[in-house]
mmCIF file of all heavy atoms in Angstrom:
data_model
loop_
_atom_site.group_PDB
_atom_site.id
_atom_site.type_symbol
_atom_site.label_atom_id
_atom_site.label_comp_id
_atom_site.label_asym_id
_atom_site.label_seq_id
_atom_site.Cartn_x
_atom_site.Cartn_y
_atom_site.Cartn_z
ATOM 1 N N PHE L 34 -4.744 7.781 -0.121
ATOM 2 C CA PHE L 34 -4.483 9.279 -0.110
ATOM 3 C C PHE L 34 -4.723 9.869 1.214
ATOM 4 O O PHE L 34 -5.690 9.490 1.998
ATOM 5 C CB PHE L 34 -5.422 9.881 -1.101
ATOM 6 C CG PHE L 34 -5.122 9.651 -2.589
ATOM 7 C CD1 PHE L 34 -5.785 8.823 -3.303
ATOM 8 C CD2 PHE L 34 -3.994 10.290 -3.136
ATOM 9 C CE1 PHE L 34 -5.554 8.574 -4.657
ATOM 10 C CE2 PHE L 34 -3.696 10.007 -4.470
ATOM 11 C CZ PHE L 34 -4.520 9.155 -5.250
ATOM 12 N N TYR L 35 -3.955 10.820 1.599
ATOM 13 C CA TYR L 35 -4.065 11.598 2.793
ATOM 14 C C TYR L 35 -4.002 13.070 2.332
ATOM 15 O O TYR L 35 -3.107 13.541 1.650
ATOM 16 C CB TYR L 35 -2.966 11.401 3.791
ATOM 17 C CG TYR L 35 -2.933 9.972 4.281
ATOM 18 C CD1 TYR L 35 -2.231 8.972 3.536
ATOM 19 C CD2 TYR L 35 -3.492 9.580 5.467
ATOM 20 C CE1 TYR L 35 -2.188 7.709 3.999
ATOM 21 C CE2 TYR L 35 -3.426 8.304 5.927
ATOM 22 C CZ TYR L 35 -2.811 7.327 5.225
ATOM 23 O OH TYR L 35 -2.797 6.043 5.650
ATOM 24 N N GLU L 36 -4.985 13.878 2.714
ATOM 25 C CA GLU L 36 -5.075 15.246 2.307
ATOM 26 C C GLU L 36 -4.869 16.198 3.432
ATOM 27 O O GLU L 36 -5.404 15.973 4.524
ATOM 28 C CB GLU L 36 -6.444 15.599 1.646
ATOM 29 C CG GLU L 36 -6.621 14.971 0.232
ATOM 30 C CD GLU L 36 -7.856 15.323 -0.451
ATOM 31 O OE1 GLU L 36 -8.161 16.550 -0.510
ATOM 32 O OE2 GLU L 36 -8.631 14.450 -0.878
ATOM 33 N N TYR L 37 -4.107 17.277 3.236
ATOM 34 C CA TYR L 37 -3.750 18.185 4.266
ATOM 35 C C TYR L 37 -3.792 19.643 3.676
ATOM 36 O O TYR L 37 -3.393 19.819 2.594
ATOM 37 C CB TYR L 37 -2.382 18.024 4.880
ATOM 38 C CG TYR L 37 -2.082 16.620 5.241
ATOM 39 C CD1 TYR L 37 -1.515 15.683 4.564
ATOM 40 C CD2 TYR L 37 -2.559 16.248 6.676
ATOM 41 C CE1 TYR L 37 -1.343 14.347 5.009
ATOM 42 C CE2 TYR L 37 -2.505 14.949 7.107
ATOM 43 C CZ TYR L 37 -1.784 13.989 6.289
ATOM 44 O OH TYR L 37 -1.611 12.793 6.733
ATOM 45 N N GLU L 38 -4.498 20.532 4.447
ATOM 46 C CA GLU L 38 -4.682 21.947 3.999
ATOM 47 C C GLU L 38 -3.506 22.769 4.490
ATOM 48 O O GLU L 38 -3.232 23.841 3.899
ATOM 49 C CB GLU L 38 -5.908 22.513 4.602
ATOM 50 C CG GLU L 38 -7.163 22.043 3.976
ATOM 51 C CD GLU L 38 -8.406 22.790 4.371
ATOM 52 O OE1 GLU L 38 -8.324 23.867 4.921
ATOM 53 O OE2 GLU L 38 -9.449 22.195 4.237
ATOM 54 N N SER L 39 -2.625 22.294 5.366
ATOM 55 C CA SER L 39 -1.475 23.059 5.777
ATOM 56 C C SER L 39 -0.410 22.104 6.223
ATOM 57 O O SER L 39 -0.554 20.980 6.491
ATOM 58 C CB SER L 39 -1.867 24.015 6.974
ATOM 59 O OG SER L 39 -2.242 23.115 8.134
ATOM 60 N N GLY L 40 0.909 22.752 6.321
ATOM 61 C CA GLY L 40 2.023 22.036 6.774
ATOM 62 C C GLY L 40 1.799 21.560 8.232
ATOM 63 O O GLY L 40 2.261 20.421 8.591
ATOM 64 N N LYS L 41 1.141 22.368 9.021
ATOM 65 C CA LYS L 41 0.915 21.983 10.386
ATOM 66 C C LYS L 41 0.069 20.668 10.519
ATOM 67 O O LYS L 41 0.381 19.753 11.286
ATOM 68 C CB LYS L 41 0.210 23.219 11.156
ATOM 69 C CG LYS L 41 -0.033 22.895 12.585
ATOM 70 C CD LYS L 41 -0.784 24.042 13.268
ATOM 71 C CE LYS L 41 -0.983 23.611 14.724
ATOM 72 N NZ LYS L 41 -2.102 24.328 15.271
ATOM 73 N N GLU L 42 -0.942 20.596 9.683
ATOM 74 C CA GLU L 42 -1.753 19.355 9.643
ATOM 75 C C GLU L 42 -0.898 18.100 9.265
ATOM 76 O O GLU L 42 -1.061 17.098 9.856
ATOM 77 C CB GLU L 42 -2.893 19.534 8.685
ATOM 78 C CG GLU L 42 -4.072 20.263 9.130
ATOM 79 C CD GLU L 42 -5.229 20.200 8.180
ATOM 80 O OE1 GLU L 42 -5.347 19.306 7.305
ATOM 81 O OE2 GLU L 42 -5.997 21.301 8.059
ATOM 82 N N LEU L 43 -0.096 18.270 8.313
ATOM 83 C CA LEU L 43 0.813 17.232 7.820
ATOM 84 C C LEU L 43 1.692 16.722 8.976
ATOM 85 O O LEU L 43 1.838 15.502 9.290
ATOM 86 C CB LEU L 43 1.573 17.532 6.611
ATOM 87 C CG LEU L 43 2.619 16.602 6.111
ATOM 88 C CD1 LEU L 43 1.997 15.246 5.581
ATOM 89 C CD2 LEU L 43 3.558 17.216 4.982
ATOM 90 N N LEU L 44 2.312 17.673 9.687
ATOM 91 C CA LEU L 44 3.220 17.342 10.707
ATOM 92 C C LEU L 44 2.490 16.772 11.902
ATOM 93 O O LEU L 44 3.097 15.959 12.683
ATOM 94 C CB LEU L 44 4.032 18.563 11.118
ATOM 95 C CG LEU L 44 4.939 19.121 10.102
ATOM 96 C CD1 LEU L 44 5.665 20.448 10.445
ATOM 97 C CD2 LEU L 44 6.023 18.117 9.670
ATOM 98 N N GLU L 45 1.249 17.079 12.126
ATOM 99 C CA GLU L 45 0.532 16.383 13.222
ATOM 100 C C GLU L 45 0.235 14.856 12.967
ATOM 101 O O GLU L 45 0.032 14.213 13.947
ATOM 102 C CB GLU L 45 -0.771 17.111 13.377
ATOM 103 C CG GLU L 45 -0.737 18.487 14.057
ATOM 104 C CD GLU L 45 -2.063 19.267 14.024
ATOM 105 O OE1 GLU L 45 -3.083 18.820 13.438
ATOM 106 O OE2 GLU L 45 -2.064 20.365 14.559
ATOM 107 N N ASP L 46 0.295 14.485 11.734
ATOM 108 C CA ASP L 46 0.172 13.073 11.282
ATOM 109 C C ASP L 46 1.526 12.455 11.269
ATOM 110 O O ASP L 46 1.769 11.530 10.380
ATOM 111 C CB ASP L 46 -0.536 12.871 10.029
ATOM 112 C CG ASP L 46 -2.058 12.653 10.209
ATOM 113 O OD1 ASP L 46 -2.464 12.616 11.390
ATOM 114 O OD2 ASP L 46 -2.722 12.587 9.268
ATOM 115 N N ALA L 47 2.505 12.742 12.087
ATOM 116 C CA ALA L 47 3.886 12.212 12.063
ATOM 117 C C ALA L 47 3.919 10.674 12.229
ATOM 118 O O ALA L 47 4.953 10.186 11.783
ATOM 119 C CB ALA L 47 4.724 12.948 13.139
ATOM 120 N N ASP L 48 2.929 10.163 12.841
ATOM 121 C CA ASP L 48 2.994 8.659 12.931
ATOM 122 C C ASP L 48 2.755 7.928 11.579
ATOM 123 O O ASP L 48 2.962 6.712 11.510
ATOM 124 C CB ASP L 48 1.923 8.216 14.005
ATOM 125 C CG ASP L 48 0.591 8.567 13.637
ATOM 126 O OD1 ASP L 48 0.365 9.723 13.036
ATOM 127 O OD2 ASP L 48 -0.386 7.832 14.003
ATOM 128 N N ILE L 49 2.273 8.669 10.671
ATOM 129 C CA ILE L 49 2.050 8.025 9.237
ATOM 130 C C ILE L 49 3.338 8.361 8.418
ATOM 131 O O ILE L 49 3.683 9.428 8.126
ATOM 132 C CB ILE L 49 0.867 8.569 8.521
ATOM 133 C CG1 ILE L 49 -0.411 8.334 9.370
ATOM 134 C CG2 ILE L 49 0.683 8.013 7.176
ATOM 135 C CD1 ILE L 49 -1.708 9.093 8.752
ATOM 136 N N LEU L 50 3.951 7.263 8.019
ATOM 137 C CA LEU L 50 5.154 7.448 7.160
ATOM 138 C C LEU L 50 4.781 7.439 5.787
ATOM 139 O O LEU L 50 4.611 6.296 5.122
ATOM 140 C CB LEU L 50 6.216 6.393 7.523
ATOM 141 C CG LEU L 50 6.938 6.612 8.838
ATOM 142 C CD1 LEU L 50 7.937 5.499 9.042
ATOM 143 C CD2 LEU L 50 7.621 7.908 9.045
ATOM 144 N N HIS L 51 4.552 8.543 5.078
ATOM 145 C CA HIS L 51 4.075 8.553 3.711
ATOM 146 C C HIS L 51 5.151 8.110 2.798
ATOM 147 O O HIS L 51 6.350 8.508 3.073
ATOM 148 C CB HIS L 51 3.519 10.016 3.381
ATOM 149 C CG HIS L 51 2.500 10.541 4.207
ATOM 150 N ND1 HIS L 51 2.711 11.321 5.352
ATOM 151 C CD2 HIS L 51 1.148 10.344 4.177
ATOM 152 C CE1 HIS L 51 1.504 11.575 5.849
ATOM 153 N NE2 HIS L 51 0.533 11.021 5.212
ATOM 154 N N ASP L 52 4.742 7.537 1.650
ATOM 155 C CA ASP L 52 5.767 7.125 0.682
ATOM 156 C C ASP L 52 6.004 8.304 -0.358
ATOM 157 O O ASP L 52 7.065 8.434 -0.825
ATOM 158 C CB ASP L 52 5.221 5.913 -0.080
ATOM 159 C CG ASP L 52 5.067 4.773 0.838
ATOM 160 O OD1 ASP L 52 5.992 4.360 1.498
ATOM 161 O OD2 ASP L 52 3.902 4.284 0.981
ATOM 162 N N LEU L 53 4.998 9.065 -0.606
ATOM 163 C CA LEU L 53 5.055 10.177 -1.559
ATOM 164 C C LEU L 53 4.298 11.403 -0.930
ATOM 165 O O LEU L 53 3.209 11.189 -0.396
ATOM 166 C CB LEU L 53 4.353 9.738 -2.908
ATOM 167 C CG LEU L 53 4.101 10.801 -3.949
ATOM 168 C CD1 LEU L 53 5.522 11.419 -4.397
ATOM 169 C CD2 LEU L 53 3.366 10.248 -5.057
ATOM 170 N N ILE L 54 4.966 12.577 -1.045
ATOM 171 C CA ILE L 54 4.419 13.788 -0.555
ATOM 172 C C ILE L 54 4.392 14.898 -1.573
ATOM 173 O O ILE L 54 5.512 15.115 -2.087
ATOM 174 C CB ILE L 54 5.069 14.231 0.687
ATOM 175 C CG1 ILE L 54 5.035 13.166 1.831
ATOM 176 C CG2 ILE L 54 4.457 15.562 1.257
ATOM 177 C CD1 ILE L 54 5.958 13.440 3.022
ATOM 178 N N PHE L 55 3.203 15.395 -1.932
ATOM 179 C CA PHE L 55 3.119 16.622 -2.762
ATOM 180 C C PHE L 55 3.007 17.719 -1.818
ATOM 181 O O PHE L 55 2.086 17.840 -1.000
ATOM 182 C CB PHE L 55 1.863 16.509 -3.633
ATOM 183 C CG PHE L 55 1.958 15.459 -4.715
ATOM 184 C CD1 PHE L 55 1.632 14.210 -4.569
ATOM 185 C CD2 PHE L 55 2.533 15.851 -5.962
ATOM 186 C CE1 PHE L 55 1.718 13.187 -5.634
ATOM 187 C CE2 PHE L 55 2.678 14.897 -7.019
ATOM 188 C CZ PHE L 55 2.215 13.552 -6.798
ATOM 189 N N MET L 56 3.814 18.723 -1.969
ATOM 190 C CA MET L 56 3.977 19.827 -0.991
ATOM 191 C C MET L 56 3.799 21.126 -1.758
ATOM 192 O O MET L 56 4.695 21.481 -2.609
ATOM 193 C CB MET L 56 5.397 19.768 -0.288
ATOM 194 C CG MET L 56 5.629 20.887 0.718
ATOM 195 S SD MET L 56 4.501 20.882 2.142
ATOM 196 C CE MET L 56 5.020 19.308 2.943
ATOM 197 N N ASP L 57 2.781 21.867 -1.419
ATOM 198 C CA ASP L 57 2.701 23.289 -1.908
ATOM 199 C C ASP L 57 3.664 24.183 -1.137
ATOM 200 O O ASP L 57 3.960 24.012 -0.051
ATOM 201 C CB ASP L 57 1.202 23.740 -1.675
ATOM 202 C CG ASP L 57 0.910 25.127 -2.307
ATOM 203 O OD1 ASP L 57 1.845 25.638 -3.127
ATOM 204 O OD2 ASP L 57 -0.067 25.740 -1.888
ATOM 205 N N MET L 58 4.217 25.149 -1.955
ATOM 206 C CA MET L 58 5.317 25.966 -1.276
ATOM 207 C C MET L 58 4.611 27.129 -0.614
ATOM 208 O O MET L 58 5.158 27.595 0.476
ATOM 209 C CB MET L 58 6.295 26.437 -2.345
ATOM 210 C CG MET L 58 6.975 25.360 -3.009
ATOM 211 S SD MET L 58 7.922 24.358 -1.801
ATOM 212 C CE MET L 58 9.195 25.385 -1.398
ATOM 213 N N ARG L 59 3.515 27.623 -1.043
ATOM 214 C CA ARG L 59 2.904 28.884 -0.467
ATOM 215 C C ARG L 59 1.577 28.325 0.207
ATOM 216 O O ARG L 59 0.599 28.099 -0.335
ATOM 217 C CB ARG L 59 2.664 29.900 -1.497
ATOM 218 C CG ARG L 59 3.778 30.665 -1.840
ATOM 219 C CD ARG L 59 3.456 31.888 -2.742
ATOM 220 N NE ARG L 59 4.553 32.672 -2.917
ATOM 221 C CZ ARG L 59 4.490 33.818 -3.745
ATOM 222 N NH1 ARG L 59 3.348 34.134 -4.184
ATOM 223 N NH2 ARG L 59 5.628 34.476 -4.023
#
Side-chain angles (χ1 to χ4, degrees):
F34 288 105
Y35 299 84
E36 292 186 47
Y37 304 97
E38 288 186 19
S39 68
K41 183 181 177 203
E42 279 184 31
L43 174 67
L44 294 173
E45 287 172 356
D46 267 356
D48 59 327
I49 300 172
L50 292 178
H51 300 99
D52 299 300
L53 172 62
I54 301 170
F55 288 90
M56 177 68 63
D57 186 14
M58 297 305 288
R59 284 191 173 177

